[in-house]
Amino acid sequence: MRIRATVAAVTGALALSAFAVPAVQADEKPDAGLSVPSGAEIFGDAAGAPAAKARSARTAEVPVIKKVVVNGGKDIVVGTTAKKKFTVAVTASSPSGIADAYAFLWHGHIDEVDGALIPAQEFGSCKVASDRTTSTCTVSITVDPRSDDLYTSSLAGTWNVAAGALAATGSETDFIWREHQAKARVQRASQITVNASPEPVKKGKTLTVTGKLSRANWDTHTYKGYSGQPVKLQFRKKGSSTYTTVKTVKTNSTGNLKTTVKASVDGYWRYSFAGTSTTPAATAAGDFVDVKK
């Protein structure tokens, strides 16, 4: 099986296209003119090669992809500095068994890819099931927010997962390859804070609760305020383990939160954000307020 040079070439070309357009804005995508590689390019069957022509001599054994699991079924959350490593597990079966499986994530249109996250290894790490016809092959992908992996925040959201499997027949023509096998979400890491004051406060007096919701900006590698988002203000009475929602507050243009409530009993105040397709949920640690009678 040939090295997945085609996939690497796509990623390399993306990097060049991004750097070649220094004025690209967060809501713009470089016109790389790249397409998702075919199964033949991934598994080594070049069009017109003898192996390809030999298909007419026998019936190809086409594997079946049973499932693809990205990051253990969780969203991929990436911040501003730390690398994020995750796996893609491809479970496939074929009468002769599975020799290999491969997968990577891509963003954009199939004929105009503007983002690609690919494994570092050439082959999947496969575990054979008890029936010997089925295997689960896993590849690992590491995302570095300070590299060209995620060069702009507009890449946050839903990505496509291309996946394929090669039957253990010894022929590179016996494969299945799907560019849209699954979906995965790549999100901008979020942070939220809370501060209730004054502390302590007299019962019946006004308590001001401030905070800020921010998320990773992959263009600047800093955290920026997330504006216009509904955030729940929640309270947990001292001695209780349950938070209840008091009201919903919207972040302002810089992601800040501010509201007032009447102090009644000792307890913990916090802000809780439910998340969006591009940004994960975030909940602040409770801020304890002592209420004096």
Side-chain angles (χ1 to χ4, degrees), residues 4 7 13 49 70 79 87 93 106 110 126 150 164 166 173 177 186 194 204 233 238 243 267 286:
R4 271 70 172 204
V7 183
V70 180
T87 60
S93 65
W106 61 276
I110 193 168
C126 300
L150 297 172
L166 180 69
T173 67
W177 180 253
V186 181
V194 67
L233 174 66
K238 181 180 179 181
Y243 275 92

Side-chain angles (χ1 to χ4, degrees), residues 8 23 33 38 59 67 79 99 113 134-135 147 169 178 196 200 206 213 223 235 248 265 274 286 291-292:
S38 67
T59 301
K67 66 177 179 178
V113 178
T134 302
S135 291
S147 73
T169 60
R178 293 177 176 170
T206 298
L213 174 64
Y223 277 83
F235 178 72
T248 298
V265 295
V291 179
K292 301 293 187 180

